[in-house]
Amino acid sequence: MGSRLRELGSGLGYRAELAGVVGEHAGRIDWLEVITEHYLFAPADLREELGELAGRFPVVPHGVEMSIGSAGEVDGVYLDALAALVDEIDAPWFSDHLCFTRTEDVLLGLLAPLPRTRDVARELGRKARRVQDAVGRPFLLENITYYVDLATPLTEAQFIAEVMEHCDCHLLLDLANLDINARNHGFDPLGFLDVIPVERVAQVHLAGGIDGVAGEMSLDSHGAAVPERVWELLDELLSRTAVPATLIERDQNFPDDPAELLADLDRARARLRRPLARDGVADGRA
Amino acid sequence: MGVREALSGVLTRAEDLAMLRENPAALRRRYGLTEAELAMLAGAPLTGFHVTRQNVRRKLARKITSYLPATVAELEASHPALLAGFLAATVRRPQPGEGVTGSWEAERLVAWIDGRVSASLSDFARYELARVSLTTDRRAAGAARAARDTGPPDTGAGGAGRLRVSAAVRVAVFDHDVTVGGPPGLLPLRYTSVLLKRGWGTPAVRAFRVGEGTVSLLARCDGSRDAAQVVAAAGGDRGQTAAMLDRLIAARVVLATTGEEDRCESVRSSNTHPSRVG
Ligand SMILES: [Fe+2]
């Protein structure tokens, strides 16, 4: 599964609030990402709606509750249902996060950071391989936004690189998360790109958040247009490697006028189509 | 136990957060941490814990809002402190298997406000929960699809099959009339029986006020009697009862079952008796 994945282009995170935009502007949306848990154990009419979407677009399920970082194995019932869902919509891949969302006693309901140690990374790699084998499609793991910066032996980038050493899965690199983490925790996002295996990035998330003021932390809200800093990170990433797919994530402050979302979609597509800068053809002189 | 458990504790229990700040050795003991594991937590800037604790509550608020939008809106408007108290006091518990997408949190909220808000709002919250539970019930959706896909039902109270209430149907009773609309905290005090029916697609659920006679007739359609036996068991005017039963069959609220599989389903079903939710 280490081979290059299908080029999906510029996609949009599907939310019920965006159904109108998706219906009216299908020609400007190359593919859709849906939240896995919205459909995983859903009644048949909702699954039928998903099937209709999958008939019009490539659809990728993006999970938030696998909790691959929890102790023990991933829940078998969840995994079986995920495999069935992925198969039903013929998803090119599926994704979830490098995090934990629950322990045996507590459901946090959010993407919580893991202790970044080599042991945890190795264990995650093993579990990721197992999940990928069980589902039978490429599994992408996403970097989260974290506000608790555990004083761990590995940096986030080293931890991700270590996980990737132990599996043949791909990365879903959320550049908005990278931007926010870098600013909140004071590291260089380009240095982060130096450490992770960028050639394993199969998909990018792009979103806007809330900039922290007066020393407050910046927040990952998925509630604004993609900021310039994140576009610059995309340019930087694309100067280092080709990426098959980008995705605009929007979870709140849905704009009345879809122009903003559509402009971000077009901009991402244009970036993907631009030849790689490292080949000396970025300005179109090829 | 280790860093993940301790972090979860610090993010959900004020006591654990205080321990991290003031008595890390006690936190270490509580979660069986090694010195290195405690150092990971103790070395993290505190601001991050505060931001994440808020996010934990926000996620819970989002979850209950997705299930009970009108109830939460009313609580936000009329009982903000009560709602904040629920968010602060509730530690979510992992639910196995399908429970990962279940309504545990919404059920907790409905139980939490009972006795703390007006009986009207409490009734309304139960009504909203009953509707969303039926919407997300896969068996109910399956029954709605079957109703869409099959031809008109065989009516005539003299039919041979045993009768049961469709899996697409729930009956619930309330002390307030939850069907009238208007402010959820000011519903008229009027004993009300409601039949909720799952449809295919949108709207997922329709609500109908029904009388006592219908409720009692539905309770007898438990998979053990055929139409004649249901009518006989219901008592009263046989002609009127038979006509009412015909209407329920025509509306696919009541189904005639003959197969072994159907009978098993009716045994498992919990929808044949009205749930007292008022
Ligand atoms: Fe993301």
Side-chain angles (χ1 to χ4, degrees), chain A residues 205-217:
Chain A
H205 270 174
L206 304 164
I210 299 169
D211 286 351
V213 289
E216 285 178 351
M217 290 185 126

Side-chain angles (χ1 to χ4, degrees), chain A residues 37 40-45 48-49 65 69-71 75 77-78 100 102-110 112-117 120 147-153 217 219 251-252, chain B residues 3-5 7-8 11-12 39-41 43-45 47-49 51-52 55-56 58-59 62 91-94 96-98 100-101 105 135-138 141 145 148 198-201:
Chain A
E37 289 77 10
L40 201 62
F41 299 110
D45 45 359
E48 190 177 79
E49 273 180 42
E65 286 289 354
S70 290
D75 184 298
V77 174
Y78 181 98
F100 75 106
R102 60 180 172 274
T103 64
E104 217 165 275
D105 296 325
V106 177
L107 173 76
L108 289 170
L110 55 65
L114 289 162
R116 298 176 300 236
T117 68
V120 171
Y147 304 98
V148 174
D149 189 17
L150 295 168
T152 51
M217 290 185 126
L219 302 176
D251 286 326
Q252 51 185 314
Chain B
V3 175
R4 285 164 276 207
E5 287 74 15
L7 176 57
S8 298
L11 294 176
T12 52
M40 289 186 206
L41 288 155
T47 318
F49 292 104
V51 170
T52 311
N55 283 348
V56 169
R58 250 183 228 127
K59 293 283 185 183
R62 195 179 289 183
V91 177
R92 297 161 77 179
R93 303 293 175 200
E98 293 195 26
V100 73
T101 58
E105 297 84 354
T135 303
T136 54
D137 184 307
R138 289 196 289 165
R145 176 164 58 189
R148 183 200 62 172
R198 178 68 154 88
W200 182 257

Side-chain angles (χ1 to χ4, degrees), chain B residues 142-175:
Chain B
R145 176 164 58 189
R148 183 200 62 172
D149 292 346
T150 53
D154 232 1
T155 54
R162 282 180 294 272
L163 299 184
R164 65 175 172 88
V165 176
S166 164
V169 169
R170 299 283 183 280
V171 178
V173 293
F174 302 89
D175 288 331

Side-chain angles (χ1 to χ4, degrees), chain A residues 62 97 142 172 174 177 205 222 249:
Chain A
H62 178 55
H97 301 81
E142 179 180 1
L172 194 180
D174 189 317
N177 291 354
H205 270 174
H222 294 178
E249 282 191 298

